[in-house]
Amino acid sequence: MSQANYYKVLTIFYSRTGKTRAIAETVKEVFRCEAQEIIDLKDRSGFWGYISGVIDILLHHSTEISPSIIKTEDYDLLFIGAPLWEGKFPPALTTFFRSAHYTGNKVILFASCGFRMKQSLFYEYSNHITKNGGEVIGYFHLRTRFKSIKALRKETENILAKNKERWLKLIGGSAMLGSREQPV
């Protein structure tokens, strides 16, 4: 197989409680890819941390994140995800969305939520990604309320197994995952 048939994948995520981290780690394992966690430098722990995040969402405030820049240009496919707070992505992910460029990237969005979510959220962020040079080729969400990490990982594995080949075809035909330089 030629080097052009190897695709680099990056999972970018924010997690406050660890449930979205479990989803992202499952993506990392299934796609044998790198993962980059976004850290909100404002303390979002506990009840008041969550409330301050919701206020920032309602007021459309950004927040300081680490890393402040994630270079995406070396990747063919990006998984980007976070929990939903009041039906929106949290300030840390919104800050990332505002600063990132997606030229040449295919993107799959994912979200974790306690109850339900509106599909329009994915459309809103898809439009932003498209305006910045990327193409959203898929999305998924998982309800996390009352679910164990083990159950979330299994549900994520099922979603990925169902969609993996289709997503890989959308980035250029049948593919192997891993480094372009070294076959896996």
Side-chain angles (χ1 to χ4, degrees):
M1 186 173 282
S2 72
Q3 286 183 345
N5 291 331
Y6 287 88
Y7 297 103
K8 284 193 75 175
V9 181
L10 176 64
T11 301
I12 300 166
F13 69 96
Y14 170 78
S15 183
R16 189 175 88 95
T17 65
K19 290 184 175 183
T20 305
R21 182 180 299 108
I23 296 166
E25 288 172 351
T26 305
V27 171
K28 178 183 174 184
E29 291 165 10
V30 169
F31 279 82
R32 295 183 290 185
C33 66
E34 298 174 46
Q36 177 63 61
E37 183 169 6
I38 296 171
I39 307 296
D40 190 333
L41 298 179
K42 188 172 184 179
D43 183 9
R44 303 286 185 189
S45 61
F47 176 76
W48 292 111
Y50 173 78
I51 294 299
S52 74
V54 170
I55 290 168
D56 284 348
I57 289 168
L58 295 173
L59 298 176
H60 304 285
H61 288 169
S62 294
T63 190
E64 287 187 59
I65 59 172
S66 177
S68 58
I69 297 174
I70 299 174
K71 292 187 173 193
T72 61
E73 62 271 5
D74 292 335
Y75 298 91
D76 302 295
L77 178 61
L78 305 174
F79 282 86
I80 304 172
L84 298 183
W85 296 357
E86 299 304 312
K88 297 280 189 183
F89 281 126
L93 198 65
T94 301
T95 300
F96 166 76
F97 276 123
R98 290 178 183 161
S99 67
H101 298 282
Y102 309 96
T103 304
N105 298 129
K106 306 288 190 201
V107 178
I108 297 170
L109 297 171
F110 67 94
S112 60
C113 56
F115 297 103
R116 58 188 164 93
M117 67 161 284
K118 295 179 184 175
Q119 290 296 115
S120 61
L121 172 78
F122 285 133
Y123 303 138
E124 176 185 334
Y125 286 97
S126 294
N127 288 336
H128 176 76
I129 290 166
T130 301
K131 287 178 187 174
N132 286 289
E135 178 185 358
V136 176
I137 62 169
Y139 47 84
F140 65 93
H141 74 280
L142 287 94
R143 290 188 178 95
T144 60
R145 193 157 194 88
F146 306 120
K147 291 183 182 173
S148 68
I149 296 297
K150 184 177 179 179
L152 288 172
R153 290 178 68 82
K154 184 65 177 166
E155 190 173 345
T156 304
E157 287 171 359
N158 291 338
I159 290 169
L160 297 175
K162 179 180 173 185
N163 293 288
K164 184 177 178 180
E165 288 304 315
R166 180 174 56 86
W167 289 336
L168 290 176
K169 285 179 183 174
L170 290 171
I171 63 172
S174 62
M176 296 291 291
L177 297 169
S179 167
R180 290 187 189 124
E181 292 78 32
Q182 297 184 13
V184 280

